[in-house]
């Protein structure tokens, strides 16, 4: 597209209108929230949630942050708390929603009535007299020349002598009013008069008339309802309860308590005001750019150049702020007529406003979403979804405008990074002003570590999404797919960006954004330095990744990052719009080839490692634990370490492959990186079954026989999810490394080669495999976000810590025990006693009985004598046991296989933590792999 051609530049009023609506909704929720809280009866309703919160805090006190405890203790406790509070939240949501519904109704009525109000206020008359027939014919010709299929209704303002005009009306009947002075000038200086009319017709052609008057309606509704309500409640807190009794002291106290909330809503009001003015200014620039391309464009320049600045109607005290008013300066308008690509430039202030509004809106929407679902996870997603759509949609439309304005112009990286940093700063600035911050006690998310980590992750995520948008939008511009291609790219960006933002929001406000822990390592092998280092490095657990990996949208979203550009390139074939650039190999085929080679190299290394492990590690290490059902886990047994090492190898392979592909490509690098990672992830997930088979054939973990492990679709799909997610994360720095290598080597740009049949088939297989993985894990992943059955109450006494004290005898339970050469053997165990005193617990094994078990045709027996004494502490939901210097252990544990192979070990003390419930004479203890019930005997 040539510079100066604005016809294909999407309107910037769309994004600003979204910002306006989001800011108005967020401020309205806040205002109605205060109104609800000021009604005594409603305050009593919300008071019923306090016991629910207290019970939840008591249940999760000192609960570990490991995956098992989050799933089995914290999650159910949160579900109970949410179910307990939901009636109150539903009442509040219904009240706030009713207020917003009334507000929306007022805005719609103001919009529908604006033509009647303008005509009545200005006493306009139709321009339909016989004397004006020639004029009407000329005006209709201008409308058709502007590209309008239907000319507007022409009206005249007989009481105004200026030479102005105004477009207004509803989509099915637009109108243009002409000042009496303009009609008189039409006969004296037709080009100037036509330029003014063309400017108004450009508003209709750009379809911004509806947005303009809807913007004005929304602004007036904002002033009338939420802002007025907020001011009234701040001045008179008892307005809705005791309207005839005003207490100035109470007003001052209310301001001290809720002043931060009021400041937040007033700040949103400023955003609303600036967004409204931004829409009105932007529409003028777009109309100027379009009208300037008409034959009378030079006359329009003369008209705009003669306008005074600041406008004479501007008050003296506002003249310095005229640039943020409803009309742009004449100099800006003239510059835009000469270079319409200025419309696509980014504004850091506008980006900051989007971030600020999205941040406040997220928490204000959360006050409504908690009433929509008993699933805390789903409620968090629903609350953050509007803000995620705003941010992702804003980025998509802004990049669309920038690329469409000049597809060959490379984006100014500093300008865009500065704008994204401003958006991140806007998000951070709004956090202390959210409704959640005002009611939370000691919010963890405001700590420097959590806040800094969250903002860094958000900035990196938005930067990566913006880079992909530029790459894919540029491909769409040269693909011949037109607006359909750009809409597809925007849709993928919005879905992906919104999904990632919702997870980010959950992780940030729960404090999990900085919850990263090194991999665990069990006592067998913990004293082997290199093995312990490998276990910790490859087993790093980052809690947000667990939820992101279990997002059902993960594979469709990340798969679309390469599939949409692939389809666009495949439809058009080689680029023909840039002659002189040599045609190279098709980059998609090369990406899959490089990814496959890297993955097969990683698979070869992973297949050799079992032989090294058998040679270097003792049996006591290798025979500990079972094969996990997921690639990310917080257990530290050998099988877990092995699968984590396998996953780490393929993550490294993905990083190397992405760097090689990026260094050899001049276009579509983000899409190629996504395809490369997808290829590596699929081979890595399937390759684990080969590695597992080799391990069993060489008797690495004590499993007799050589057999392929059972292939369960949901487990294999889970492997793909986790491998894909890890690969995408390392792909970001790998792309940067590849770019640095390419610049250093100064490789020339090449155009994409033709898309061969083999490449198409291979890409189709990758897409089908990803879809199969998504389907296989869909039900499991969706269940994480849907409400789950939660017990009505925890089976606990009012003081479970005291309930624990006493002597207990264990009932029969399944006791998993690691046995050399056999792996984990499950014994039915009973008869043992546990005596809990004042901070000290003693386990007496004298009466414990193990029923014999059979594994691979071998009879296994177990006996235990003596006792173990150590310290403990009991919270509401968990018991911690500690290995201290004064801990004591006596007796032996004897394991017999087939009546003659004996393993005799002395009893030992240990550190442990497990969940429990205690009610009357029954206590249940449960943890990872065990669940035992005790009966009180003393």
């Amino acid at each position: 597209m040539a510079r100066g051609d604005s016809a294909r530049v999407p309107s910037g009023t769309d994004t600003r209108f979204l910002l306006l609506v989001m800011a108005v909704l967020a401020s309205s929720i806040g205002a109605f929230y205060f109104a609800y809280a000021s009604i005594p009866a409603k305050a009593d309703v919300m008071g019923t949630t306090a016991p629910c919160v207290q019970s939840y805090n008591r249940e999760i006190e000192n609960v570990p942050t490991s995956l098992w405890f989050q799933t089995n203790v914290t999650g159910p406790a949160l579900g109970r708390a949410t179910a307990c509070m939901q009636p109150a939240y539903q009442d509040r949501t219904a009240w706030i929603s009713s207020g917003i519904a009334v507000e929306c109704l007022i805005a719609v009525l103001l919009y529908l009535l604006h033509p009647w109000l303008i005509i009545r206020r200005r006493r306009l008359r139709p321009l339909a007299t016989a004397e004006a027939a020639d004029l009407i014919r000329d005006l209709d010709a201008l409308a058709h020349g502007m590209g309008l299929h239907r000319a507007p209704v022409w009206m005249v303002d007989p009481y105004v002598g200026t030479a102005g005009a105004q477009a207004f009306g509803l989509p099915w009947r637009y109108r243009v009013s002409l000042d009496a002075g303009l009609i008189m000038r039409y006969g004296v200086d037709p080009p100037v008069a036509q330029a003014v009319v063309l400017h108004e017709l450009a508003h209709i052609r750009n379809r911004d008339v509806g947005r303009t008057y809807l913007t004005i309606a929304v602004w007036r509704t904002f002033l009338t309802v939420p802002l007025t309500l907020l001011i009234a409640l701040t001045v008179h807190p008892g307005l809705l309860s005791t309207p005839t009794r005003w207490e100035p002291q109470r007003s001052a106290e209310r301001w001290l308590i809720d002043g931060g909330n009021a400041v937040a809503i007033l700040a949103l009001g400023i955003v609303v005001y600036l967004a409204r003015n931004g829409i009105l200014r932007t529409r003028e620039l777009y109309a100027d750019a379009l009208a300037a391309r008409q034959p009378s464009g030079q006359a329009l320049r003369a008209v705009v150049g003669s306008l005074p600045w600041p406008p004479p109607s501007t008050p003296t005290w506002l003249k310095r702020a005229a640039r943020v008013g409803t009309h742009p300066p004449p100099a800006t308008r003239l510059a835009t007529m000469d270079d319409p690509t200025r419309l696509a430039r980014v504004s850091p202030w506008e980006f900051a406003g989007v971030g600020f509004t999205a941040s406040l809106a997220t928490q204000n929407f959360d006050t409504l979403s908690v009433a929509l679902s008993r699933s805390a996870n789903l409620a968090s997603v629903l609350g953050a979804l509007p803000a995620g759509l705003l941010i992702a949609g804003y980025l998509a439309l802004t990049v669309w405008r920038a690329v469409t304005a000049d597809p060959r112009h490379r984006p100014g990286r500093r300008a865009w990074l500065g704008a994204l940093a401003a958006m991140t700063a806007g998000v951070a600035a709004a956090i202390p002003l959210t409704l959640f911050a005002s009611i939370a006690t000691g919010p963890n998310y405001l700590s420097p570590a959590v806040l800094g980590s969250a903002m860094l992750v958000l900035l990196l995520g938005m930067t990566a999404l913006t880079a992909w948008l530029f790459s894919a939008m540029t491909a769409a511009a040269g693909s011949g797919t037109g607006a359909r291609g750009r809409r597809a790219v925007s849709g993928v960006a919005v879905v992906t960006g919104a999904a990632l933002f919702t997870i980010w929001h959950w992780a940030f406000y729960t404090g999990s954004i900085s919850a990263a822990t090194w991999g665990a390592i069990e006592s067998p092998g913990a004293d082997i330095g290199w093995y312990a280092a490998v276990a910790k490095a490859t087993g790093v657990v980052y809690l947000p990744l667990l939820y992101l990996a279990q997002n059902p949208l993960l594979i469709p979203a990340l798969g679309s990052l390469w599939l949409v550009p692939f389809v666009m390139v495949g439809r058009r074939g080689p680029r023909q719009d840039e002659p002189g650039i040599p045609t190279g190999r098709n980059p998609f085929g090369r990406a899959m080839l490089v990814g496959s080679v890297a993955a097969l190299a990683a698979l070869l290394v992973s297949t050799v490692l079992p032989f090294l492990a058998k040679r270097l590690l003792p049996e006591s290490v290798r025979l500990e634990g079972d094969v996990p059902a997921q690639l990310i886990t917080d257990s530290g047994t050998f099988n877990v370490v092995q699968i984590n090492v396998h996953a780490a190898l393929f993550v490294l392979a993905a990083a190397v492959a992405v760097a090689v592909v990026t260094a050899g490509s001049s276009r579509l690098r983000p899409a190629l990186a996504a395809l490369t990672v997808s290829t590596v992830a699929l081979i890595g997930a399937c390759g684990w079954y080969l590695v597992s088979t080799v391990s069993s054939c060489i008797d690495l973990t004590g499993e007799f026989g050589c057999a392929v492990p059972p292939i369960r679709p949901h487990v294999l799909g889970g492997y793909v999810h986790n491998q894909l997610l890890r690969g995408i994360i390392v792909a970001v720095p790998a792309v940067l490394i590849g770019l640095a290598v390419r610049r250093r080597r100064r490789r020339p740009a090449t155009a994409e080669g033709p898309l061969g049949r083999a490449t198409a088939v291979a890409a189709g297989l990758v897409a089908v495999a990803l879809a199969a993985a998504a389907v296989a894990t869909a039900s499991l992943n969706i269940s994480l976000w849907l409400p789950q059955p939660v017990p009505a109450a925890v089976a606990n006494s009012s003081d479970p810590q005291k309930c624990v004290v006493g002597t207990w005898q264990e009932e029969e339970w399944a006791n998993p025990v690691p046995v050399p050469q056999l792996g984990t053997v499950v014994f039915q165990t009973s008869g043992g006693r546990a005596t809990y005193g004042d901070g000290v617990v003693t386990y007496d094994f004298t009466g414990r009985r193990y029923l014999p078990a059979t594994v691979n045709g071998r009879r296994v027996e177990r006996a235990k004598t003596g006792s173990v004494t150590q310290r403990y502490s009991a919270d509401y939901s968990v018991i911690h046991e500690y290995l201290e210097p004064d801990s004591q252990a006596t007796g032996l544990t004897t394991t017999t296989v087939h009546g003659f192979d004996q393993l005799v070990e002395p009893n030992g003390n240990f550190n442990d933590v497990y969940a429990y419930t205690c009610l009357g004479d029954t206590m249940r203890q449960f943890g990872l792999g065990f669940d035992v019930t005790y009966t009180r005997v003393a």
Side-chain angles (χ1 to χ4, degrees):
M1 162 182 169
R3 292 175 66 86
D5 183 4
S6 67
R8 294 167 57 196
V9 180
S11 172
T13 57
D14 294 331
T15 52
R16 291 170 177 84
F17 184 73
L18 289 175
L19 176 61
L20 173 76
V21 171
M22 186 68 73
V24 169
L25 284 177
S27 57
S28 299
I29 291 173
F32 290 127
Y33 176 93
F34 296 139
Y36 180 90
S38 68
I39 302 174
K42 299 300 183 182
D44 293 340
V45 172
M46 293 307 300
T48 62
T49 64
C52 309
V53 177
Q54 294 170 0
S55 177
Y56 171 72
N57 290 334
R58 182 176 57 176
E59 287 190 52
I60 67 169
E61 182 181 8
N62 294 328
V63 172
T65 58
S66 67
L67 176 61
W68 187 90
F69 281 97
Q70 290 290 319
T71 303
N72 295 276
V73 178
T74 304
L78 183 58
R80 284 187 289 272
T82 303
C84 174
M85 295 184 291
Q86 198 167 38
Y89 286 147
Q90 288 174 341
D91 182 80
R92 185 179 66 187
T93 297
W95 202 92
I96 294 175
S97 300
S98 299
I100 293 177
V102 172
E103 186 179 0
C104 292
L105 180 61
I106 293 173
V108 171
L109 287 176
L110 288 176
Y111 169 68
L112 294 176
L113 292 175
H114 87 265
W116 178 81
L117 293 173
I118 291 176
I119 293 172
R120 182 178 178 85
R121 184 177 67 250
R122 296 176 56 184
R123 294 178 290 179
L124 302 180
R125 298 177 182 176
L127 186 65
T129 60
E131 294 79 4
D134 293 339
L135 175 60
I136 293 174
R137 189 163 41 252
D138 290 344
L139 295 174
D140 288 345
L142 289 177
H144 293 306
M146 182 59 72
L148 301 180
H149 299 293
R150 179 182 179 185
V153 176
W154 304 101
M155 308 195 76
V156 61
D157 191 339
Y159 303 99
V160 177
T162 57
Q166 180 181 1
F168 63 98
L170 301 173
W172 51 88
R173 194 177 185 187
Y174 287 118
R175 296 175 171 86
V176 175
S177 70
L178 310 175
D179 294 349
L182 181 66
I183 294 177
M184 294 177 60
R185 191 163 185 177
Y186 202 96
V188 178
D189 193 352
V192 171
Q194 289 175 356
V196 174
V197 173
L198 285 172
H199 177 87
E200 299 305 317
L201 292 174
H203 284 305
I204 300 176
R205 178 68 176 82
N206 288 334
R207 293 179 294 183
D208 62 27
V209 174
R211 283 189 294 268
T212 298
Y213 288 97
L214 191 55
T215 295
I216 295 173
V218 170
W219 165 251
R220 289 173 177 171
T221 306
F222 171 76
L223 294 178
T224 306
V225 183
L227 190 61
T228 301
L229 182 61
L230 172 66
I231 295 174
L233 290 174
T234 302
V235 175
H236 187 1
L239 179 65
L240 300 179
S241 56
T242 56
T244 59
R245 188 175 63 195
W246 179 58
E247 300 175 9
Q249 182 179 359
R250 185 181 175 190
S251 300
E253 293 174 352
R254 175 66 177 269
W255 174 256
L256 291 176
I257 296 174
D258 292 334
N261 301 329
V263 169
I265 296 179
L266 290 176
L268 276 174
I270 294 175
V271 173
V272 172
Y273 173 77
L274 294 176
R276 183 206 70 160
N277 289 358
I279 292 172
L280 299 180
R281 287 197 310 274
T282 303
R283 70 186 288 266
E284 296 299 328
L285 296 176
Y286 276 94
D288 285 337
L290 182 57
R293 299 172 57 243
Q294 305 302 315
S296 57
Q298 198 61 38
L300 179 62
R301 290 178 171 83
V303 172
V304 171
S306 65
L307 294 175
W309 184 261
S313 59
T314 306
T316 304
W317 60 279
L318 278 180
K319 289 186 181 295
R320 291 185 178 273
R323 284 187 173 274
V324 294
T326 58
H327 278 72
T332 302
R333 296 177 65 177
L334 290 173
T336 304
M337 293 183 204
D338 295 332
D339 181 14
T341 60
R342 291 171 57 92
L343 295 169
R345 294 182 181 178
V346 296
S347 167
W349 289 106
E350 187 174 320
F351 270 65
V354 171
F356 185 87
T357 302
S359 184
L360 281 178
T362 298
Q363 285 308 309
N364 289 5
F365 276 110
D366 262 353
T367 63
L368 303 181
S369 64
V370 291
L372 301 179
S373 174
R374 291 193 175 187
S375 168
N377 292 332
L378 182 58
S380 175
V381 167
L382 293 176
L385 189 58
L389 293 173
L390 171 65
I391 290 179
Y394 180 83
L395 290 176
L397 292 179
T398 304
V399 173
W400 185 343
R401 290 200 306 271
V403 173
T404 309
D406 193 350
R408 298 185 186 180
H409 179 67
R410 300 181 66 180
R413 292 183 176 86
R414 291 185 179 179
W416 277 91
L417 285 176
L420 294 173
M423 183 179 286
T424 306
V427 171
I431 289 170
L433 302 177
T434 60
L435 287 176
F436 186 76
S438 68
I439 61 177
T441 55
N444 179 33
Y445 62 87
L446 288 179
S447 67
V450 175
L451 185 61
S453 300
M455 295 305 111
L456 178 60
V457 170
L458 180 62
L459 178 59
L460 292 176
M462 292 192 301
T463 302
L465 181 63
T466 303
W468 180 86
L469 273 167
F470 265 109
S471 174
M473 284 288 185
T474 303
S479 67
T481 57
R484 287 183 300 174
R486 290 186 283 271
R487 281 195 294 268
V489 170
S490 299
V492 170
V494 169
V495 171
T496 304
L500 294 176
F501 183 83
T502 57
I503 300 297
W504 174 87
H505 165 259
W506 170 87
F508 175 35
Y509 282 94
T510 58
S512 304
I513 195 76
S514 57
T517 58
W518 289 104
I521 177 66
E522 300 292 345
S523 53
D527 55 346
I528 304 176
W530 67 267
Y531 176 71
V534 169
K536 292 180 179 180
T538 59
V540 171
V541 175
Y542 186 46
L543 193 57
L545 291 186
L546 300 179
Y547 283 84
L548 189 56
Q550 292 180 298
N551 190 325
L553 295 178
L554 175 68
I555 286 183
L558 297 183
S560 299
L561 293 181
W562 65 265
L563 187 58
V564 169
F566 177 85
V567 172
M568 289 190 301
V569 171
R571 290 188 61 180
R572 66 165 166 79
R575 292 180 67 101
Q576 303 295 333
D577 56 342
E578 296 188 11
I581 296 182
T583 299
R585 179 184 297 178
N586 186 274
F588 291 99
R590 182 173 179 271
M592 288 184 284
L593 177 61
V594 173
S596 299
V597 171
L600 292 175
L603 182 58
L604 177 62
V605 175
S606 186
T607 306
V608 171
L609 287 181
F611 296 93
L612 294 177
K614 187 172 183 178
R615 184 178 183 86
L616 298 176
L617 294 174
E619 287 187 353
S620 59
V621 175
R622 294 185 282 108
L623 304 184
E624 178 73 19
D626 291 326
V627 178
Q630 57 180 10
L631 282 181
I632 300 178
T633 178
D634 48 11
S635 174
T637 61
F638 173 77
N639 283 311
V640 173
V641 174
Q642 184 185 14
I643 197 171
N644 284 342
V645 169
H646 174 85
L649 286 172
F650 280 86
V651 169
L652 179 62
V656 173
V658 167
V660 171
V661 169
T662 302
S665 304
S666 59
R667 311 176 193 272
L668 294 170
R669 299 184 187 102
L672 297 176
L675 178 57
T676 304
V677 169
S678 299
T679 304
V680 174
L682 290 170
I683 296 176
C686 297
W688 167 248
Y689 290 87
L690 173 62
V691 175
S692 182
T693 302
V694 171
S695 299
S696 68
C697 291
I698 66 173
D699 193 21
L700 179 65
T701 57
E703 298 177 6
F704 294 94
C706 185
V708 178
I711 300 177
R712 295 186 290 272
H714 69 280
V715 175
L716 179 57
Y719 288 171
V720 174
H721 269 78
N722 288 292
Q723 198 73 66
L724 181 64
L725 182 58
R726 291 181 173 190
I728 285 293
I729 291 174
V730 301
V732 175
V735 167
L736 298 178
I737 294 173
L739 287 173
V741 171
R742 184 176 181 84
R743 291 195 188 96
R744 188 178 184 87
R745 296 174 62 183
R746 297 182 179 179
R747 299 187 62 174
T750 58
E752 298 90 347
L755 188 63
R757 179 175 297 178
T759 300
V761 171
L765 292 175
V766 173
V768 170
L770 290 178
V775 172
T777 57
S779 60
L780 183 64
N781 290 339
I782 291 174
S783 65
L784 178 70
W785 305 96
L786 296 180
Q788 299 298 313
V790 177
V794 180
N796 247 358
S797 67
S798 58
D799 194 348
Q801 294 91 333
K802 291 183 179 180
C803 178
V804 168
V805 176
T807 301
W808 304 83
Q809 181 165 309
E810 62 185 6
E811 304 293 336
E812 184 173 307
W813 63 291
N815 184 4
V817 176
V819 176
Q821 299 296 328
L822 297 178
T824 299
V825 179
V826 179
F827 293 96
Q828 294 300 316
T829 308
S830 63
R833 289 198 174 192
T835 301
Y836 289 87
D838 186 12
V840 177
V841 58
T842 298
Y843 293 99
D844 184 359
F845 304 119
T846 304
R848 173 175 278 189
R849 299 289 181 268
Y850 293 86
L851 294 180
T854 301
V855 179
N856 294 330
R858 299 184 176 192
R859 179 183 174 87
V860 185
E861 300 173 288
R862 188 174 179 86
K864 201 175 189 75
T865 62
S867 64
V868 170
T869 301
Q870 58 189 44
R871 296 189 177 276
Y872 83 97
S873 64
D875 295 304
Y876 187 87
S877 299
V878 294
I879 293 177
H880 296 259
E881 297 188 16
Y882 307 100
L883 177 60
E884 300 287 351
D886 59 351
S887 300
Q888 299 176 4
T890 63
L892 300 172
T893 299
T894 303
T895 303
T896 304
V897 181
H898 257 343
F900 54 86
D901 290 332
Q902 285 194 341
L903 174 66
V904 181
E905 300 174 298
N907 293 329
N909 298 97
F910 45 84
N911 288 309
D912 200 4
V913 57
Y914 46 85
Y916 82 103
T917 61
C918 184
L919 184 62
D921 293 334
T922 302
M923 178 169 62
R924 176 189 173 215
Q925 297 179 356
F926 54 102
L928 183 60
F930 77 93
D931 192 334
V932 57
T933 300
Y934 287 89
T935 301
R936 189 188 302 273
V937 295

